[in-house]
Amino acid sequence: MTALDIAHDKRGAASPAAAPARAKPGLVGLTRQKLMDALKSAGLPEKQLRMRAGQVWNGLYKSGFTDFSRMTTLSKDLRETLGNAFDISRLEIVTEQKSVDGTRKWLLRLPSGVPGVPGPEIETVYIPEEGRGTLCVSSQVGCTLTCTFCHTGTQKLVRNLTAGEIVGQVLIARDALGEWPDSNRNSDDRLITNIVMMGMGEPLYNFDNVRDALDVISDGEGISLSKRRITLSTSGVVPMIEKAGADIGCMLAISLHAVNDETRNKLVPLNKKYPIRELLDACRNYPGLSNARRITFEYVMLKGVNDSIEDAKELVRLLKGIPAKINLIPFNPWPGSPYECSDWAQIEKFADFVNRAGYASPVRTPRGRDIMAACGQLKSETVKKRASERFREAQAEA
Ligand code: SAH
Ligand code: SF4
């Protein structure tokens, strides 16, 4: 086991390794208060902190600067002091791929903390659609959970992303899309209109960093993307759901995927700890829930596993009384994946039933499948464990 290997505890949960220290501390992803604290530690006088933090904030999030030398609202001396003390560079882009459908995927390398040793990798995906553009952001390297249909769940190397690494994904996408105001783009003409925490990892297992990152992203003075346009997807970490509503306040998506505990235990093993009834109770208590702010229930369509009309009926029954949207996701296969996508005719039948029960347009079109950018296909090259091996383990456990 290396230091970055995950440490499984007896219940099958796991603790991710910590992010390594960097040569110079980073400023990206710090909340305003933490940014002021950092500037104070570099010797800036107390009474200037608020103003200086505002200037640095604007440089980072309004202009997208990666170098203090461009922050000309600061004196030359101060730019030099900050440049010597702090890092505001981007994550390293390993590859950028473009799908035939316009979806873009970036493979990004994180710092390892050890000179000469390459750090772990994560993926970020941009999905352009008519009138909107969604950025799918990762919250962890890999995932400590082991959903049997998910490629990320087969990845052994796990650590939490820092808030800076989460915000950094948005900054890289804005660079690549030319979305900074200086790049002649009208600021209302946004390319990233929505963010979904649906990349690699379980965001509620990296709560504080996700909360800070989303505070930075939604701050009205910077990237300024409203929390109504940010969706956090969870596999069902029940004790954190209410806290997410209270402390983060973004939109919520639940990876439900099955309507009885027996099937869900197999698909989403976390269900053994937090079964469907407890999960739906937590949803009913989600702060701010209303017909205008519904919870999205994601449901991956797996042939012969969860796609019968009986399942659809039970789904509608279970969600009764919860302001909900249903998102049917055709299963996206990956090398060695142990499931098949439901037939289209069956997906349509299922969708029809759900539609007639009052849930509109529920099938999510797979995007970027040719570059392995679709839901659940993300997995960096730092993979250590073969999928088939994992599947056998899951079967043995079941
Ligand atoms: N860990 C979080 C968020 C990341 S996964 C969660 O599980 O909700 C984002 C979504 O993709 C989840 O709904 C997940 O269940 C779904 N997903 C995972 N693998 C998939 C696959 N192979 N095909 C389709 N959807 C998948
Ligand atoms: Fe982790 Fe979500 Fe994949 Fe499950 S579906 S293994 S929680 S990333």
Side-chain angles (χ1 to χ4, degrees), residues 116-155:
V117 176
E121 294 154 355
I122 52 162
E123 293 182 321
T124 307
V125 177
Y126 175 68
I127 307 146
E129 285 170 293
E130 195 65 38
R132 63 191 264 157
T134 304
L135 191 69
C136 180
V137 171
S138 294
S139 57
Q140 298 182 307
V141 178
C143 186
T144 58
L145 298 174
T146 51
C147 304
T148 44
F149 53 87
C150 174
H151 206 197
T152 309
T154 66
Q155 189 166 332

Side-chain angles (χ1 to χ4, degrees), residues 173-312:
R174 289 196 111 192
D175 292 344
L177 297 168
E179 207 184 10
W180 297 108
D182 303 4
S183 56
N184 293 330
R185 177 168 288 285
N186 177 342
S187 60
D188 292 333
D189 187 12
R190 279 177 178 264
L191 292 172
I192 302 173
T193 60
N194 294 71
I195 288 181
V196 290
M197 297 300 303
M198 291 186 188
M200 297 162 72
E202 169 49 60
L204 294 187
Y205 276 165
N206 185 13
F207 191 91
D208 291 356
N209 291 329
V210 167
R211 177 201 56 214
D212 284 1
L214 296 184
D215 276 352
V216 169
I217 292 166
S218 60
D219 188 290
E221 280 300 307
I223 301 167
S224 192
L225 201 78
S226 147
K227 289 208 176 142
R228 300 290 300 267
R229 291 178 168 273
I230 300 176
T231 302
L232 182 153
S233 175
T234 178
S235 55
V237 186
V238 167
M240 302 304 282
I241 288 179
E242 190 173 341
K243 190 169 155 64
D247 296 2
I248 304 180
C250 60
M251 306 301 283
L252 181 68
I254 300 283
S255 294
L256 188 63
H257 305 318
V259 293
N260 60 65
D261 285 326
E262 196 193 340
T263 309
R264 195 163 190 270
N265 284 346
K266 288 182 194 144
L267 299 180
V268 184
L270 185 66
N271 193 70
K272 291 180 213 160
K273 207 164 167 188
Y274 307 119
I276 293 176
R277 199 181 51 78
E278 286 178 28
L279 176 58
L280 295 182
D281 280 348
C283 290
R284 284 189 188 88
N285 294 326
Y286 189 66
L289 188 61
S290 71
N291 280 338
R293 291 180 63 128
R294 293 165 188 263
I295 294 177
T296 301
F297 288 88
E298 297 160 278
Y299 196 95
V300 63
M301 299 298 294
L302 301 171
K303 188 173 185 168
V305 175
N306 63 356
D307 62 350
S308 72
I309 289 303
E310 285 309 308
D311 289 313

Side-chain angles (χ1 to χ4, degrees), residues 40-195:
K40 190 175 171 185
S41 73
L44 272 70
E46 187 81 40
K47 60 180 188 320
Q48 285 186 15
L49 288 179
R50 190 166 296 277
M51 179 181 69
R52 297 294 177 221
Q55 289 168 320
V56 172
W57 187 278
N58 286 347
L60 293 177
Y61 305 121
K62 275 195 170 163
S63 306
F65 293 151
T66 55
D67 193 324
F68 288 104
S69 65
R70 298 192 61 197
M71 297 195 189
T72 47
T73 50
L74 305 172
S75 72
K76 195 155 176 287
D77 282 354
L78 187 52
R79 278 180 259 157
E80 210 176 291
T81 306
L82 295 179
N84 290 331
F86 300 114
D87 181 6
I88 56 168
S89 62
R90 294 284 189 263
L91 299 171
E92 181 193 342
I93 301 178
V94 181
T95 53
E96 177 179 356
Q97 286 176 281
K98 255 191 207 171
S99 159
V100 287
D101 68 17
T103 300
R104 293 162 80 144
K105 181 172 91 170
W106 296 273
L107 178 66
L108 306 174
R109 178 147 31 233
L110 310 178
S112 72
V114 184
V117 176
E121 294 154 355
I122 52 162
E123 293 182 321
T124 307
V125 177
Y126 175 68
I127 307 146
E129 285 170 293
E130 195 65 38
R132 63 191 264 157
T134 304
L135 191 69
C136 180
V137 171
S138 294
S139 57
Q140 298 182 307
V141 178
C143 186
T144 58
L145 298 174
T146 51
C147 304
T148 44
F149 53 87
C150 174
H151 206 197
T152 309
T154 66
Q155 189 166 332
K156 202 175 171 193
L157 185 69
V158 178
R159 82 156 165 83
N160 280 337
L161 300 192
T162 63
E165 290 161 347
I166 297 170
V167 175
Q169 296 171 64
V170 181
L171 303 183
I172 279 181
R174 289 196 111 192
D175 292 344
L177 297 168
E179 207 184 10
W180 297 108
D182 303 4
S183 56
N184 293 330
R185 177 168 288 285
N186 177 342
S187 60
D188 292 333
D189 187 12
R190 279 177 178 264
L191 292 172
I192 302 173
T193 60
N194 294 71
I195 288 181

